[in-house]
Amino acid sequence: MGERGRKAMTRYYPVMLRIEGKRCVVFGGGAVAERKAAGLLEAGAAVTVVSPTLTPLLETWAADGKIAADRRLGAADDLDGAALAFAATDRPEANRRLAEEARLRGVPVSVADDGEAGDFVAPAVVRRGDLVFAVSASGAGPALAARLAGELAERYGPEYGPLAAALRRVRAEVRAAVPDAADRRRLLRTAVGDAALAEWRRLGPDAAGAVLLARLRALAEEEEGRRGRGEPPDPPGFAHFS
C-alpha cells in the first residue's frame, strides 16, 4: 500500500490523571468493562457501570457499594457530570453512539472495540504502590502491551512498592531541608542509585526523615569521592537493583 493509502498514525500524549473521587462511567457489563472498572477503582474514582447485565465480580462490587450500577442500556444523560467515560459494550454501534454523545459534552471517552475512535486509550498497568508502569501500543496491539506489562510485573515485584514510598519521603525531606537547587538535584540523583535503593530497603518504611536525609548526604559524598578517584558512579535507576 502506498503512502497515500496508509491511515495516519494517531499520536497520543501520555499522562497520569488524578481522578480520585471523580465520577467515571463505564458502559458495558462484561469482562472488558470489569477490567476498566477495576483500574478506575484502583485510582480511587467514583465508578458507575451502566449495563443490563453484569459479571459476577461487578455484581459483588455493586452489592458492596464499591461501584454504582444501573442495570439498563446506556443513555446520553449518563454522561452528565462525568470526568471520563468508557464505551465497553458488546455492540460497536452503541459504543460509537455513546462516544459521540460524550464528545458533545466534552467528556473524554475510550472506545474498547476501536481505540482510535476514542479520545484516549487505557494502557496496560502494573502497580507497585506509588510506582506505576503503564505500557501502550497506542491501540495498535493491546496483546503486546499486556505481554510487556507482564514482563515488568515479573521484573519489578511487590518489594518496589515500599521503595517508591521511601523515595517520596526522601524527596520531601530534600525539598524541605536543601535550599540550593543544584544541591537538591545532586542529592535526588543519588537517591535512586543502586546503593541508595539498597539503603532505603534496609532502613524500612518507619525510618525517620532526618535519618534518611543523613544517609543520603553520606551516599552523595561517597559518590563524589568515587568520581574524584576516577571510579564509575553508582548506576541510577532500578535496572541493577535486586
Side-chain angles (χ1 to χ4, degrees):
M1 184 182 293
E3 290 294 331
R4 292 185 179 180
R6 293 177 183 170
K7 186 177 180 181
M9 180 181 66
T10 301
R11 295 182 293 179
Y12 294 94
Y13 180 75
V15 64
M16 298 283 284
L17 293 177
R18 180 180 294 174
I19 59 171
E20 186 170 1
K22 295 184 179 180
R23 184 170 183 268
C24 297
V25 181
V26 179
F27 295 100
V32 175
E34 180 184 296
R35 290 197 299 271
K36 304 303 182 186
L40 291 167
L41 289 174
E42 284 186 329
V47 181
T48 296
V49 175
V50 184
S51 175
T53 60
L54 304 177
T55 67
L57 183 55
L58 287 172
E59 287 282 11
T60 297
W61 287 343
D64 292 344
K66 292 183 177 180
I67 64 171
D70 289 330
R71 294 168 179 80
R72 55 175 173 75
L73 294 176
D77 290 348
D78 293 319
L79 294 157
D80 292 344
L84 293 176
F86 294 80
T89 77
D90 58 0
R91 301 180 308 282
E93 69 283 358
N95 289 340
R96 288 194 296 272
R97 174 179 58 80
L98 291 165
E100 291 169 3
E101 293 290 350
R103 288 197 186 91
L104 289 174
R105 289 163 169 76
V107 178
V109 61
S110 172
V111 181
D113 60 326
D114 185 2
E116 293 190 355
D119 300 307
F120 67 95
V121 292
V125 175
V126 177
R127 289 182 181 271
R128 297 292 183 254
D130 289 339
L131 182 63
V132 180
F133 297 98
V135 185
S136 176
S138 300
L144 175 60
R147 174 182 172 177
L148 294 175
E151 292 177 5
L152 286 169
E154 290 182 7
R155 173 65 183 84
Y156 300 99
E159 68 274 12
Y160 284 87
L163 282 175
L167 284 170
R168 178 186 290 275
R169 295 181 59 211
V170 168
R171 184 170 182 265
E173 289 292 330
V174 170
R175 293 184 67 181
V178 182
D180 182 74
D183 196 22
R184 285 199 302 271
R185 287 193 295 271
R186 178 179 66 89
L187 289 171
L188 291 174
R189 280 196 300 269
T190 300
V192 295
D194 285 354
L197 292 175
E199 189 70 2
W200 311 145
R201 194 179 196 184
R202 181 186 69 81
L203 290 171
D206 299 324
V211 172
L212 295 174
L213 184 57
R215 286 301 301 138
L216 178 58
R217 289 189 182 278
L219 290 167
E221 290 177 5
E222 291 172 10
E223 188 171 303
E224 288 294 328
R226 287 196 299 273
R227 287 198 177 114
R229 295 189 296 272
E231 299 173 6
D234 187 32
F238 292 117
H240 304 282
F241 179 75
S242 62

